[in-house]
Amino acid sequence: MSTQEIIIGIDLGTTNSAVGFMEAGLPFLLADQDGERLTPSVVYFPENDGTPLVGRAASRMRAVRSEATVSSIKRLIGSGENVTINGVVHSPEEISALILTKLKSDAESALTQMVSRAVITVPAYFNDAQRAATKRAGELAGLTVERILNEPTAAALAYGLDKLRDRSKIAVYDFGGGTFDISILELNQGVFEVLSTNGNTQLGGDDLDAALIADCDLAIPDWEKRELVIKAKHRLSNEENVELAILSATGPQSYQLSRIRLEQMARPIIERARVHCVRSLADAGLKPGDLDEVILVGGSTRMPLVRTLVAEWFGKEPNLTQNPDEAVALGATIQAGILSGAVTNITLLDVTPLSLGIETAGGLMNVLIPRNSTIPLKRGEMFTTSANNQTSMVIKVLQGEREMARDNWKLGEFTIDFAPAPRGVARVGVQFEIDANGILHVLARDVATGKDRTLEVTSSVDVADERVEQMIAESVEHAFDDMSERIFTEASLKAKEMLVAVDNALAVLGDEVSADERGQIELLTNEVREAVELGESQRLKRANAALDAGTQNLATLLMERAMAAALEKRGLI
């Protein structure tokens, strides 16, 4: 396989990280020079600007210089909060990049060639800032980040759940070192769709470790307590009682911990995840009995109490066939294989990075598919003409988050022709469809004749993250001005319709409208025209409302005349 085709899968974890690669159609996690597949997500910064240590070597330095050692940095990524070590300020992205650089280097050593492309996983509950920060960390490490993948979806791939029957429902319970996620997935013909997701980016095994450290009354430093309680916690997944002997500065000491005591401290922390499980099921419109599989991800799920509570909450014993520490990395590796072409029988649903729509009267952006909609999908809307005897309609396909069409990106345009008719009579149905390959198909149909015109756009989903971030940033920056312009434009369109309707009604009714009423209506229409001319949105909205109320009698007279004419035509009067 050439260097250009290699895409590695990375689980950038709170406690441990891992990297994998697809070979002969199977995912393999790559070991470091010590033969270990899991790399502690720990960085040590030596004094005098020395080269930082990452992984196990850094973890060992916590015993010597804990103040210069950083762990669980994933909890800060995307927060804007930095850490200061040896008087130097480091961002979470920079520290994460050091971890990713080591994983990249380990992969290159194992594969004996350069690697520059990767899939990196994140908790499904990560927001845009956290996802963007993770991507920046990858770029700082010299990687082109091909996909930011949700950890629960990666785990489902690792468990081989793409082999389940169609419409299978899967709960992915991911309780890691620093974050908790619960996602409900549905499988259909090899396609995973996320039905719902919930979680807490500040809940994980670290919270239990902190409780154990606080409970430990030995006269030793906190860093040493941490190493001790973690070791005891791990052993209690298989043992009922643990006693660990240590040699401290004050002499030999003994640390004892029972599974009963551990579970007393752990239960309130683990119970905090229950509400997220309930919400995720409710959001998916499911009951526990609707689930086909419940899978566990994250080292904290090795605890017997976690497994017991999960079985209780979901009414089903969890699937324990995979190593919970490695499942996400294996799934990331499978996704990397999908992107590189090494795996062809699985599809992961993507989402639209930006809204899609068309330009409508007044130069407005009319959204048919909002951003972050899961694909494939199909959406349609009916439109009518805005002028009398109009014979065609130009369909301008747009992408973006701005209120006015001119501020969004034009993906293409085409024209659909139809027979001339009064304004609002001709009707055109517009349908947007995005297939599983991310290709947008736009169809416009003249309802009267069934005549179609179509447009195919291939770049609606595969948009560079930088351009997406730029568009979203601009939409936030100009949100107030954009909305003000939209409100005024919509009010102006309504004013135009009302003024034409009032003029036509007065011409038809003639002497049936008194001079006083005509004078009052003229005052109201002048107020509307002046508000339009001066561009005053709120004044225009009030003027439109006043004109609408002031012409109710006009509308009644017009309706009575129309009904009389209809009855006369039928010979009823």
Side-chain angles (χ1 to χ4, degrees), residues 476-496:
V476 173
E477 180 183 354
H478 299 286
F480 181 80
D481 292 337
D482 284 0
M483 186 53 66
S484 296
E485 185 172 2
R486 185 180 192 98
I487 291 171
F488 178 74
T489 301
E490 290 175 341
S492 297
L493 291 170
K494 182 178 180 180
K496 181 180 177 181

Side-chain angles (χ1 to χ4, degrees), residues 7-8 104 115-120 135 138-139 141-147:
I7 306 178
I8 55 176
K104 177 177 181 289
V115 172
S116 63
R117 304 168 66 190
V119 169
I120 303 178
K135 183 173 185 294
E139 292 165 348
L143 292 167
T144 298
V145 182
E146 300 291 341
R147 182 73 56 88

Side-chain angles (χ1 to χ4, degrees), residues 147 191 346-351 374-377 433-441 461:
R147 182 73 56 88
V191 177
I346 305 171
T347 301
L348 291 181
L349 289 182
D350 211 332
V351 297
T374 304
I375 62 172
L377 82 165
E433 180 180 8
I434 305 180
D435 62 24
N437 295 316
I439 298 175
L440 169 64
H441 304 270
V461 173

Side-chain angles (χ1 to χ4, degrees), residues 288-305:
D290 297 325
L291 296 173
D292 296 279
E293 287 279 358
V294 178
I295 62 175
L296 301 180
V297 180
S300 298
T301 64
R302 292 181 184 276
M303 292 181 62
L305 178 61

Side-chain angles (χ1 to χ4, degrees), residues 42-54 57-59 61-62 65-71 73 83-99:
V42 183
V43 179
Y44 166 71
F45 292 90
E47 294 180 304
N48 303 320
D49 296 327
T51 302
L53 299 180
V54 180
S59 188
M61 290 304 296
R62 280 193 287 202
R65 290 196 65 217
S66 60
E67 74 282 359
T69 308
V70 181
S71 60
I73 194 64
V83 296
T84 302
I85 304 292
N86 300 328
V88 179
V89 176
H90 301 274
S91 71
E93 293 94 316
E94 292 169 345
I95 296 172
S96 298
L98 292 172
I99 299 169

